Amino acid sequence: MPFDPLPKTLTDLLDAGASRPLVALDLGCGDGRLSALLRKPGVHCFGLDRLPRVAGSRADIVADARRAPVCAGSVDLVVAGNLVRHLLPAQRDAAFLDDWLALLRPGGSLFILEDEPTARPAAAANYRDLQAFLARLWPVGRGPLVTLDTFRRRLPARLAALVVESGTGANHWPQDAAAAVAMLERGRPAPGDEAHRLAAAITARGLSCGRQWWCRLRTPSPTD
Ligand SMILES: C[S@@+](CC[C@H](N)C(=O)[O-])C[C@H]1O[C@@H](n2cnc3c(N)ncnc32)[C@H](O)[C@@H]1O
């Protein structure tokens, strides 16, 4: 889901687009709500997703994010919101980040944003459990929520050396609990099934993103 509020360090970077135009790439853009937050004055943001627009995405580029058909060194800012966790199960060392960093101009930034798995409040625990449930249903295409610590531990030294900032914060982006319950009930789960338990828990205590984490990697610039 998109992130509200965006990390201040990211909004500061976007605000700089007003004085020097920036090219941004939103990987795994989905319905385009995060791209819309990135499109500030002077920021030319392109969305990339493996799903075409007819399937509900707002992608300008339809492609696998691990092989983005974008010129190396042509982008100022790459953002990946809730995408890394879907790629980590197949590539535990996060080597796909090398390809994303290669798209950046010298001194460009890569921002990873992810929902944080958390047990409190109950509505956020429901969100964490729902994502884990969906990841078990489709392990090739989805992953469970991961913590910032887990992500950073996975980074090989060459990537860890490029991390310049990271942090966590609240995420107030609203979730559609009724739609999640309807999706779970579409499979007509029997009492005792995980989907049945989750639908009951979401009905009783709601659904919310809880918190987010972010991590910024920066390519060296000639002035570094
Ligand atoms: C959880 S949604 C996140 C959407 C958006 N970034 C946001 O934060 O609201 C994950 C998106 O990543 C896309 N996706 C997953 N794996 C992908 C891949 N290998 N290449 C491109 N897009 C991918 C999915 O189609 C989906 O739209």
Side-chain angles (χ1 to χ4, degrees):
M1 288 302 118
F3 301 87
D4 176 23
L6 290 175
K8 183 172 181 311
T9 179
L10 175 54
T11 53
D12 287 349
L13 198 62
L14 294 167
D15 288 343
S19 46
R20 186 182 68 85
L22 297 174
V23 176
L25 181 63
D26 179 11
L27 295 174
C29 64
D31 60 17
R33 287 183 291 174
L34 178 55
S35 303
L37 299 179
L38 301 175
R39 283 194 185 106
K40 296 235 186 165
V43 180
H44 305 284
C45 178
F46 299 90
L48 179 150
D49 205 284
R50 65 179 169 194
L51 294 181
R53 289 191 170 219
V54 288
S57 91
R58 299 287 297 164
D60 303 298
I61 305 166
V62 178
D64 189 323
R66 290 163 292 190
R67 288 176 287 281
V70 173
C71 291
S74 65
V75 177
D76 299 290
L77 172 66
V78 173
V79 178
N82 280 331
L83 175 62
V84 158
R85 70 176 140 104
H86 297 312
L87 306 182
L88 275 179
Q91 235 173 335
R92 291 180 59 80
D93 63 354
F96 47 86
L97 298 182
D98 286 314
D99 299 316
W100 298 354
L101 289 161
L103 304 177
L104 291 170
R105 296 192 173 119
S109 289
L110 164 63
F111 274 83
I112 310 294
L113 298 104
E114 288 284 329
D115 295 321
E116 188 174 69
T118 173
R120 286 194 183 77
N126 287 341
Y127 181 73
R128 174 202 62 191
D129 294 348
L130 176 64
Q131 298 307 318
F133 173 75
L134 295 174
R136 282 196 296 278
L137 283 187
W138 190 30
V140 186
R142 296 189 65 97
L145 302 190
V146 292
T147 63
L148 172 60
D149 277 356
T150 302
F151 170 73
R152 291 198 62 167
R153 273 201 307 273
R154 296 272 187 93
L155 295 181
R158 69 175 185 287
L159 292 173
L162 300 179
V163 173
V164 288
E165 294 173 277
S166 64
T168 66
N171 189 0
H172 302 298
W173 196 270
Q175 290 291 319
D176 189 340
V181 170
M183 175 193 67
L184 291 164
E185 288 180 343
R186 224 169 283 139
R188 298 185 184 284
D193 288 357
E194 174 70 356
H196 192 272
R197 188 197 69 74
L198 261 175
I202 293 170
T203 303
R205 290 180 289 280
L207 191 67
S208 81
C209 306
R211 293 181 64 76
Q212 57 171 302
W213 62 258
W214 55 272
C215 185
R216 177 184 186 183
L217 290 80
R218 194 166 162 273
T219 54
S221 77
T223 53
D224 284 343

